[in-house]
Structure formats: structure tokens, C-alpha cells
Amino acid sequence: MAGVQTAVALREQGFTGTVTLIGAEPHQPYDRPPLSKAVLLGKAEGSAFDVDFEALGVELRLGCEALAVHTDAHVLDTSAGPVPYDVLVLATGAEPVRLPGTEDVPGVHLLRTLDDAERLRPVLAGQHDVVVVGAGWIGAEFATAAREAGCAVTVVEAAGRPLAGVLPAEVAAPMTAWYADSGAVLRTHARVAAVEPGAVVLDDGERLPAGAVVVGIGARPATAWLAGSGIALGEWGEVLADDHLRTSAPDVYAVGDCASFPSRRYGERLLVHHWDNALQGPRTVAADVIGLTPAAYDPVPYFWSEQFGRFVQYAGHHTAADAMVWRGEPSGPAWTVCWLRQGRLVALLAVGRPRDLAQGRRLIEGGAPMDPELLADPARPLKTAVG
């Protein structure tokens, strides 16, 4: 997404030089969200971007893996040989964390690429017993698709609740019931000791039947290939970009899941592994490459997830908030949580309330002060709760 959008943005903003898009996968560039939904369930064969690269004058080099960068010489080493550059944009995304000890065990799957989805499609079609390791966003989305396909699903989560590393306990707690409502079994405080052909063994010795195991325990920036390049990386291996998405190396930018950037809005560096960041960032990169002096890149992060018949949306960044306000009952089908800092809206999570999300996102961007009492009334449009 980030690489394609950078190429498109360069042309849209008037760049007339050569644009080469290099990707390790052999497939035409594709969008990832449908992989855990339509592609996985066999409702779509693929999710290629509707972009005419030839008409845009963008050269595609597919099945070509980036291996190293020589920043002094302005050369990218690839599996097809060296490629000189004037400007290099790193858009390598993130790669899923593997479950230790499962590398050579048959029937263990990740879900990140088109090939991953195609390998999992017959698992769902065959209605196998499935064990999902990790109750994060991808685990919930895969469990949703597997239940829709008629599979028996058990989700194993080491923490005491879903989305433990992402949302506060009181916000994630209502989501626990969604699993049972859909017919999936959620096992919290459960750790995987081993995966064997046909079974997952928990650390208490219990064996769970598993025709397939899907691992969703997080992702890390795909930047190991940058070792020795001199490009500065952060604690998670992410490329440390500035507020125009420039790296520490001259003429090298980084965008999307592989890069963090300083947010003046939130007063900290953000590493955002979501689709919208890969859509927005390329416009800043393209403008800076062309010399249009863009505004600093400081978006309101946004993402969505479709799980267990619910549409979940999140905007902002809540970790520095000092107050939380509920709109609606968390046991109900639709509710919103709002986070405030010094009376201003900084983030919200909306379940089945897309209007709250749309209005809230604009209020976060504007930094509007809010009246908590008005905000707590779910019958009142969120935008009318401005203090």
C-alpha cells in the first residue's frame, strides 16, 4: 500500500522523473484488508490495486527482493542486481512474529500475504478444527472468517483478555463475550508450550485438536535487511523518520508500517501499523521529494476492524489521556469510548457507531475542548458535545 501510493502520489503531484516500484512478491501489488475477509473465504480471487502502472509511467519489478542499501553510493542491492537511485523510499511494511519452535511444523500458518490467504482458504473450506494463537486484531478477524466458514475455532491468548497490549482492560473486557456469541472458544491466560501435527499443547499439558494453527501474535517492521546501512532504527527495528518522513540517510525516506515518526499532536514518536497510515504518508513523501515543502506529517491515526458481526473503528492515540468517557452500554450492540486529555478529545473507539468516529476524528484534528457530561449522552451527536 505505502509503496504503491508513493508512486501514485509522485505522479499526481507532478513528478516527471523515473519511478521504479520494487517488490519481493511476484504478484501484482495488492491491498491487504481483503485477505482476512473476501479472499480468505473464497469470495474474491485477489485484491490487486486498480492502478494502471504503465499509464502512470511506473516500472514494476516484481519478485525482486531488496537486500541492502549503500547510502553513500546511492545504490540499492537487490536479488536481481544493484539498482542506483537518486531518491529511495523504504516501504517494506511489517512482518508477522513467528511462534518459536513452529518453523518446520506442518499446518502452522501466518496471515499477512496473498500466498498466506491462499494457503488458508482450503483449511476454511474443509471446515478443519482451527486453533488461533493470539486474540489481537488479526486473530479476531481470522476467527470471524473461520466461524463463518463453519470451522470449530479455539483462540488461545496468553493475557487475560483480548487486545491486551492495545486497549485498557475495561475497554477490551466487553469484547470477550463476542467470541462466545460467535461460537468460538476464547482461552485466556493460556500459553502454547508446543505445536505438534494435529494438536496444540498448552503449558498446563492440555492438548487442543488442531487441523490448522494460525499465529497472530504481532508484527515487527521488516527492516532486518537494513543492517549495516547506517540508517537509524528504533527499539522495534523501525526506521526512525522525521516529521517529513526523511530517514537519517540523505535522499532516503521511509513510509508505512516500517517507519515511526514524531507526533507533535501526541508529544511522542508513533509507530502505526495500519492501512490509513500507508495511505496518508506517501503524500508527504511525494511533496517533499518534489520540493513542495509539505506540512509536517502528523495525522490522527485511524483503523478499522470487522469482527464477529461488528464494525470496530479507532481514531487517535489514547495512551496519554487523563479521562475516559463511555457513550452507550458496552454490553449492547453499539457503543463508543472517548479519551480526553486536559478536556480535549485525543482518541475514540467506536463499535457500530460510525458517525461518532467520523465526527470524533474531526474534533481530534481540531483540538476542540469537550463537555464530558454532554459527551456521555449517546443520543446526542458527538459534535454537539463541544464545551
Side-chain angles (χ1 to χ4, degrees), residues 1-5 22-40 44 46-49 91-96 110-119 138 141-142 219-220 222 256-258 273-276 278 304 306:
M1 179 68 174
V4 167
Q5 290 299 323
I22 294 172
E25 293 185 65
H27 312 291
Q28 285 287 308
Y30 59 87
D31 205 7
R32 292 191 190 279
L35 298 185
S36 61
K37 306 171 184 71
V39 174
L40 191 59
S47 56
F49 289 112
T92 48
E95 52 196 5
L110 302 169
L111 180 52
R112 180 72 181 181
T113 68
L114 180 58
D115 289 339
D116 291 337
E118 289 180 345
R119 280 190 289 267
I138 194 67
E141 290 186 4
F142 178 81
R220 294 287 182 268
D257 290 6
C258 73
H273 281 185
H274 293 298
W275 185 91
D276 192 66
W304 78 96
E306 296 176 64

Side-chain angles (χ1 to χ4, degrees), residues 155-213:
V155 180
V156 176
E157 171 55 52
R161 61 185 186 276
L163 298 165
V166 182
L167 296 174
E170 60 268 43
V171 178
M175 300 176 177
T176 301
W178 299 357
Y179 288 78
D181 291 347
S182 76
V185 176
L186 174 61
R187 301 287 299 273
T188 56
H189 300 293
R191 292 185 178 275
V192 175
V195 178
E196 303 170 353
V200 170
V201 183
L202 301 183
D203 58 0
D204 63 0
E206 183 179 358
R207 299 171 64 86
L208 304 176
V213 179

Side-chain angles (χ1 to χ4, degrees), residues 322-346:
D322 53 32
M324 190 169 69
V325 178
W326 288 84
R327 288 170 57 80
E329 290 298 323
S331 59
W335 46 272
T336 295
V337 178
C338 299
W339 285 273
L340 305 176
R341 185 178 66 211
Q342 297 177 347
R344 299 178 189 275
L345 189 65
V346 292

Side-chain angles (χ1 to χ4, degrees), residues 2 5-7 9-10 13 87-90 241 243-246 252-256 280-292 294-295 297:
Q5 290 299 323
T6 300
L10 282 165
Q13 296 186 33
V87 171
L88 177 66
V89 180
L90 307 175
D243 60 2
H244 288 77
L245 301 178
R246 297 173 294 219
V252 180
Y253 295 79
V255 66
Q280 303 290 347
R283 297 168 187 161
T284 295
V285 171
D288 201 78
V289 168
I290 293 168
L292 298 179
Y297 185 61

